[in-house]
Amino acid sequence: MSNTATIVGIDVGTSSTKGVLVALDGTILATVSRAHEVSTPRPGHVEMDPAIWWDEAVSITRELLTATGQTQGQDIVAVGVSGMGPCVVLTDETGTLLRPGILYGVDTRATAQIARLTHELGGAAAIRAQTGSALSTQSVGPKLSWLAEHEPDVWARARRLFMPASWLGWNLTGAYYLDQHSASQCTPMYDAASQDWHQRWAAPLAGPLTLPPLVWPADVIGTVSADAAAQTGLAAGTPVIAGTIDAWSEAVSVGAQQLGDLMLMYGTTMFLVHTTALHNTSPVLWGTTGAFPGTRNLAAGMATSGAITSWLHDLFGAPGHPQLLAEAHESGVGARGLLMLPYFAGERTPIADPDARGVIAGLTTAHTRGDLYRAALEATAFGVRHNIEAFEHAGARIDRIVAVGGGTRGGLWPQIVSDVTGRRQLVPEKTIGASYGAAYLAAGAVTGPSETADIERWNPIVERLKPDPRATEAYDRRYRQYLELYPATSTIAHALAQDEQRGQS
């Protein structure tokens, strides 16, 4: 392998597509990002045009090549991909898109289908025993059922099912596939024991679709086609790996796929992934196949986290997040009497309530934007603690917590999470996230484990956050109030959500 050999990693996220060019020792040579926005045509509907993802991948790859002086991608030896999920992207048999992609659990349109299918398939416990998870807004099956019922013309033409990572893989190579982990989030269509499609439940829900063959995230699914080479500047014949859902690729990027690890992904949403060898299940979490053979995960996801601070930033017209972080630091523990529920887009785990809504309690005219920003950071930390307690209730043993994502920058947010949870966190040197994990998997696929350094050498731990005992004691009291605030306000929140839905239906 040439000393100049490099790897490209591309990740499609909720708010941007990111690309990274990495040397075989893990050194980041160049990064490129393209911002994009989701579409919300109706309450509870969250979509995006997958054509955007491919266009961004093309422009990002060309810019990475330009940044390093390459004209034909001759030094790139492999391509890694990842993307948000589980999503629903439908095409005809030629790969022509039929409608915008339906996003993961933040899209809550299929609540009626979740209830109906749960009843028809024998209840939540029976579904969880077969697949690893109960049906929720995160599940693919109910969204397919929604499409069959509400968009029959689209459904009649649908032949293939993609997610963002496999959509990039298709455009790069022409291979039709889905990785095992992503398939395990296609509840109730996947069998956790056999790690294959559960045909008895999958066939009726898939309808006209040919379900994709299943591979592992690090498997090479093909090589860059001549057409994709012409568009991207990559060399035809370059190997491409299958990739997987972004949170799992992020966990790979920081080495948080060892047994007992818990990854905290600080981003637009907060995601938590715990790795185990056991088939643990929980009525309020998601049980999935891991990114590597022989591993399983319990996972949790909050519908909003960084999205709230971005909303506040835009609302305030502030000079930037660093200024707001400074003001939030000045506000101090407890945000001067404010308490927030972070359910601004419903909530996924552990309450599984798409009609939950954000609440800000304790407001007075004396409160500042720094207090509100601090309350938002604390609210997401309370949500993390709520989920961690659900993991442990399900029997998970958490040996270490590794933080990743853009939200780790600046220090205040992860410190608040450590203070609220009373847990230590490890912060690695590189927190670029899923695109870096995709590049690491791609490197291993073409060099083999004997030539590719382990991820701890690629991305060493550089910071160890410890909770402040005095802050933790204060937050213990506030956390109890946080747990009480949701049931105290949920009836009104549900009524308001229903009024919103009726008004825009």
Side-chain angles (χ1 to χ4, degrees):
M1 194 70 64
S2 167
N3 290 334
T4 60
T6 55
I7 307 289
V8 166
I10 301 173
D11 171 66
V12 175
T14 307
S15 57
S16 65
T17 297
K18 297 176 181 177
V20 61
L21 188 69
V22 183
L24 288 182
D25 64 358
T27 301
I28 295 176
L29 303 176
T31 62
V32 179
S33 180
R34 296 282 187 273
H36 52 226
E37 296 181 353
V38 300
S39 171
T40 53
R42 295 179 60 186
H45 293 215
V46 185
E47 304 180 344
M48 196 179 298
D49 180 3
I52 293 172
W53 308 334
W54 175 241
D55 289 345
E56 290 175 341
V58 167
S59 66
I60 283 171
T61 303
R62 286 200 166 273
E63 188 168 338
L64 289 172
L65 293 174
T66 300
T68 54
Q70 299 187 55
T71 57
Q72 301 296 324
Q74 65 275 7
D75 291 333
I76 294 171
V77 296
V79 179
V81 294
S82 65
M84 57 185 162
C87 300
V88 175
V89 176
L90 297 183
T91 75
D92 65 14
E93 61 277 0
T94 69
T96 300
L97 292 165
L98 300 179
R99 69 173 323 282
I102 298 175
L103 299 198
Y104 50 97
V106 294
D107 183 286
T108 60
R109 73 183 69 199
T111 52
Q113 289 73 24
I114 291 168
R116 176 177 58 79
L117 288 170
T118 298
H119 174 73
E120 291 176 356
L121 299 179
I127 296 170
R128 191 170 69 249
Q130 187 74 51
T131 69
S133 303
L135 292 178
S136 70
T137 61
Q138 190 82 347
S139 306
V140 166
K143 293 177 182 180
L144 295 180
S145 183
W146 186 94
L147 286 164
E149 294 174 27
H150 292 271
E151 298 183 6
D153 292 343
V154 168
W155 189 241
R157 292 182 289 139
R159 295 294 181 272
R160 289 183 169 170
L161 170 67
F162 294 94
M163 292 192 193
S166 63
W167 175 245
L168 293 184
W170 162 264
N171 280 277
L172 284 165
T173 70
Y176 180 49
Y177 69 93
L178 193 63
D179 71 278
Q180 286 277 356
H181 167 71
S182 297
S184 74
Q185 295 213 44
C186 291
T187 315
M189 302 162 65
Y190 180 86
D191 180 69
S194 67
Q195 296 185 328
D196 202 352
W197 297 114
H198 181 55
Q199 289 298 335
R200 185 162 60 88
W201 288 352
L205 287 167
L209 298 173
T210 299
L211 290 174
L214 301 183
V215 299
W216 288 98
D219 288 347
V220 174
I221 49 89
T223 60
V224 174
S225 67
D227 180 59
Q231 293 184 66
T232 62
L234 296 166
T238 304
V240 180
I241 64 160
T244 191
I245 289 175
D246 54 3
W248 276 257
S249 189
E250 290 226 34
V252 169
S253 80
V254 294
Q257 286 281 6
Q258 301 174 39
L259 300 183
D261 283 351
L262 178 69
M263 180 209 69
L264 289 185
M265 184 180 82
Y266 291 78
T268 305
T269 66
M270 179 74 79
F271 214 90
L272 303 87
V273 178
H274 177 264
T275 301
T276 177
L278 304 175
H279 183 43
N280 288 8
T281 65
S282 164
V284 297
L285 301 171
W286 307 311
T288 74
T289 296
F292 300 105
T295 61
R296 296 185 182 274
N297 298 121
L298 274 177
M302 298 169 61
T304 55
S305 55
I308 304 174
T309 56
S310 294
W311 169 71
L312 287 171
H313 173 271
D314 293 343
L315 199 65
F316 295 141
H321 288 286
Q323 176 64 35
L324 287 171
L325 281 169
E327 293 175 14
H329 186 274
E330 182 68 23
S331 175
V333 172
R336 296 201 306 132
L338 291 184
L339 179 61
M340 182 184 293
L341 291 181
Y343 309 147
F344 283 58
E347 186 54 295
R348 295 188 284 172
T349 63
I351 66 170
D353 185 356
D355 288 335
R357 290 295 181 266
V359 174
I360 305 174
L363 269 172
T364 72
T365 56
H367 284 111
T368 67
R369 67 189 187 188
D371 298 328
L372 283 164
Y373 204 85
R374 175 86 185 206
L377 297 176
E378 292 180 348
T380 59
F382 292 137
V384 169
R385 178 169 171 176
H386 201 185
N387 278 294
I388 285 177
E389 290 177 355
F391 279 110
E392 293 185 327
H393 184 73
R397 188 195 74 214
I398 299 173
D399 294 329
R400 64 175 195 152
I401 299 175
V402 186
V404 66
T408 59
R409 294 191 296 269
L412 180 60
W413 190 8
Q415 184 61 55
I416 289 173
V417 170
S418 278
D419 291 342
V420 165
T421 62
R423 313 273 179 146
R424 297 173 180 240
Q425 292 179 81
L426 305 178
V427 182
E429 180 180 70
K430 304 177 184 74
T431 59
I432 187 173
S435 59
Y436 192 70
Y440 175 76
L441 292 177
V446 296
T447 65
S450 62
E451 294 185 43
T452 302
D454 60 49
I455 193 63
E456 286 79 9
R457 291 175 59 193
W458 266 45
N459 196 9
I461 299 298
V462 295
E463 186 176 5
R464 290 169 168 81
L465 295 174
K466 300 178 181 179
D468 178 341
R470 290 175 299 177
T472 300
E473 182 180 1
Y475 280 132
D476 282 345
R477 296 191 297 271
R478 186 57 59 85
Y479 178 64
R480 291 192 291 271
Q481 295 171 329
Y482 171 88
L483 293 178
E484 294 170 359
L485 186 57
Y486 168 66
T489 59
S490 61
T491 299
I492 294 172
H494 290 167
L496 293 172
Q498 291 162 13
D499 288 346
E500 177 193 23
Q501 291 158 10
R502 281 193 294 266
Q504 298 188 37
S505 62

